[in-house]
Amino acid sequence: MPPERRRILYSGNVQGVGFRWTAATALKGLPVSGYVRNLPDGRVELVMEGAPKDTDEAASRVRAALALHIRGEAQETGAPTGEFEGFRIRR
């Protein structure tokens, strides 16, 4: 399958709890690139590009690591842009 871009918005108690660091740590070793950042409205945005099996695994890892903080999750997929090198935490 061709690569995809996946954007996930997490809501709940997701800021001020180490969410970004935990998410980035959970994705180590997976061949995905992108970023995770806090949004002004209190949600956290995760954007990643990679093979669908890898973005599925990444989403599962984040969900498993942070399930106690996540109350809602909205996902959308699209074509990758290739703009990312590695995975980063954004402010």
Side-chain angles (χ1 to χ4, degrees):
M1 291 193 93
E4 69 177 7
R5 179 183 184 105
R6 188 178 302 197
R7 179 177 185 237
I8 307 174
L9 297 174
Y10 297 99
S11 59
N13 183 27
V14 294
Q15 289 191 14
V17 295
F19 193 103
R20 293 175 299 158
W21 182 86
T22 303
T25 300
L27 301 187
K28 285 193 187 291
L30 282 177
V32 296
S33 59
Y35 65 87
V36 61
R37 70 176 176 168
N38 288 339
L39 296 176
D41 65 5
R43 295 179 297 170
V44 170
E45 176 186 48
L46 171 66
V47 175
M48 59 188 158
E49 294 184 353
K53 69 177 182 62
D54 296 323
T55 58
D56 283 344
E57 176 65 21
S60 293
R61 287 184 185 188
V62 170
R63 196 176 304 114
L66 293 153
L68 293 176
H69 302 287
I70 298 169
R71 297 291 172 259
E73 183 179 317
Q75 294 192 38
E76 58 186 50
T77 58
T81 63
E83 68 188 274
F84 307 117
E85 282 190 34
F87 192 86
R88 305 219 186 310
I89 296 173
R90 286 191 180 172
R91 296 192 180 263

